[in-house]
Amino acid sequence: MSENNKAVLEAANAANAAGNYEEFLSFCTDDTQWTFVGDRTLNGKEAVRQYMAETYIEPPKFTVTNLIAEGDFVTALGDITLKDEDGKAAHYSYCDVWRFRGDKMVELRAFVIKTSV
């Protein structure tokens, strides 16, 4: 199960990086919940869709350094670069902990820290 979950997350992230947000969302449950620790929680696929429309001015650039799977969980460690509304690149380090239900992503706990590069 955990290797399948890794493959699902990799496919979802590839869709996200390509700017295909609807394909990415197809890997999420309708009741998906995303918690950005210390910031906000998004409840449901529609809230995630709105977040992506507002935040992903361009597709994010991910560098995954570690992908660890066990049971219903996959943890991804790495870096993200996003463009802000002024077109400037913003850099972050992250740790995403995804929980799966079946072959869909049902929950995200994201620990994201802005970095200088």
Side-chain angles (χ1 to χ4, degrees):
M1 180 66 114
S2 57
E3 286 303 313
N4 182 57
N5 291 344
K6 278 174 75 171
V8 169
L9 181 57
E10 288 171 328
N13 281 343
N16 195 6
N20 191 340
Y21 306 131
E22 287 303 315
E23 182 182 350
F24 174 88
L25 289 168
S26 74
F27 294 100
C28 297
T29 62
D30 289 337
D31 64 339
T32 193
Q33 182 180 64
W34 289 18
T35 300
F36 296 95
V37 175
D39 186 20
R40 65 177 129 176
T41 298
L42 307 175
N43 291 300
K45 196 182 281 192
E46 186 55 37
V48 173
R49 182 179 284 114
Q50 289 175 2
Y51 168 82
M52 294 174 98
E54 294 167 5
T55 306
Y56 297 163
I57 296 163
E58 284 184 12
K61 292 184 174 62
F62 287 93
T63 302
V64 178
T65 55
N66 295 89
L67 200 57
I68 306 158
E70 184 173 331
D72 292 335
F73 292 89
V74 176
T75 300
L77 297 166
D79 299 295
I80 306 169
T81 301
L82 296 169
K83 292 272 178 107
D84 65 17
E85 57 275 352
D86 296 326
K88 292 182 181 178
H91 305 282
Y92 303 86
S93 289
Y94 77 95
C95 176
D96 284 351
V97 181
W98 292 93
R99 184 171 63 87
F100 284 73
R101 182 187 316 133
D103 61 351
K104 300 263 186 181
M105 300 181 296
V106 67
E107 182 182 11
L108 167 64
R109 288 186 52 85
F111 301 83
V112 182
I113 300 169
K114 191 168 188 173
T115 60
S116 56
V117 173

